[in-house]
Amino acid sequence: MVGKKVSDMSVKVEIMGEVDLVKVKQRLVSQVLEIGIIFHSVIIGVTMGMSQNKCTIRPLVAALAFHQIFEGMGLGGCIAQAGFTFGTVAYMCFMFAVTTPMGIVLGMIIFSITGYDDSNPNALIMEGLLGSLSSGVLVYMGLVDLIAVDFFHNKLMSSAPWLKKASFLALALGSTSMSILALWA
């Protein structure tokens, strides 16, 4: 009986260890995604704040609206799965909400101090580098930590072949529509 109790306890400890490991990974993914989104939002905000051309601002506002909606849904899902405390959730939501406006204000301050010129080659190179860095973080997080989990580690995906096909089709349509939006913006 003593041997059986010890083996039952070790199984419980292993199961609890796996559950804790999954929670830690979900929390880490949520935090890294939050950092990537914050960095991306600040860069977009700075770009909007420094731009004085209406033709540049209008597409950025449309792109910003789509970005905020879909980034918020993705981040909200990650935060909900991670099981953070109320204070942490409130802090993450607050940071998500204020980073783009803070970036816009920062961009306006930079423009007023430096007289930023949109057509300067150095400015265009810097914008391109910062934009590619921030979007690279988001692409990595989306592909590796969000989409991969849904397509490779989800029991629902292995249960029905039509569901897998429908999910791949929805992924392709969503990626295509966001690419078209990126060309327009």
Side-chain angles (χ1 to χ4, degrees):
M1 289 296 272
V2 173
K4 187 171 184 169
K5 285 184 181 178
V6 169
S7 67
D8 288 343
M9 295 222 7
S10 67
V11 169
K12 286 181 183 176
V13 168
E14 283 183 27
I15 292 171
M16 290 294 287
E18 289 177 19
V19 169
D20 290 340
L21 186 62
V22 168
K23 282 289 185 194
V24 167
K25 183 177 182 200
Q26 288 174 338
R27 288 181 179 187
L28 183 64
V29 166
S30 297
Q31 290 168 339
V32 172
L33 184 62
E34 173 88 7
I35 290 168
I37 288 174
I38 285 173
F39 185 71
H40 183 75
S41 296
V42 167
I43 298 301
I44 295 293
V46 167
T47 303
M48 277 186 68
M50 289 189 307
S51 179
Q52 300 299 309
N53 187 356
K54 290 181 184 178
C55 294
T56 304
I57 293 173
R58 286 184 185 147
L60 280 175
V61 170
L64 183 65
F66 281 104
H67 273 89
Q68 292 295 98
I69 289 169
F70 293 118
E71 286 173 355
M73 288 191 315
L75 184 61
C78 283
I79 291 172
Q81 287 179 346
F84 287 111
T85 62
F86 176 76
T88 304
V89 171
Y91 176 73
M92 290 175 87
C93 291
F94 175 76
M95 291 304 293
F96 177 76
V98 301
T99 51
T100 303
M102 286 177 14
I104 292 171
V105 169
L106 180 64
M108 292 169 75
I109 291 170
I110 290 171
F111 178 78
S112 67
I113 291 173
T114 63
Y116 177 79
D117 182 20
D118 285 345
S119 61
N120 185 351
N122 291 334
L124 294 174
I125 289 171
M126 197 61 175
E127 272 186 44
L129 287 174
L130 291 174
S132 63
L133 180 64
S134 65
S135 61
V137 169
L138 294 178
V139 167
Y140 173 79
M141 291 302 299
L143 291 176
V144 173
D145 291 320
L146 299 176
I147 293 174
V149 171
D150 288 338
F151 280 92
F152 298 118
H153 303 293
N154 193 343
K155 292 176 187 174
L156 187 62
M157 292 301 290
S158 61
S159 63
W162 68 268
L163 182 60
K164 191 177 243 183
K165 290 176 185 174
S167 297
F168 280 118
L169 180 65
L171 177 66
L173 289 174
S175 298
T176 303
S177 63
M178 290 306 286
S179 297
I180 292 170
L181 178 66
L183 288 173
W184 173 68

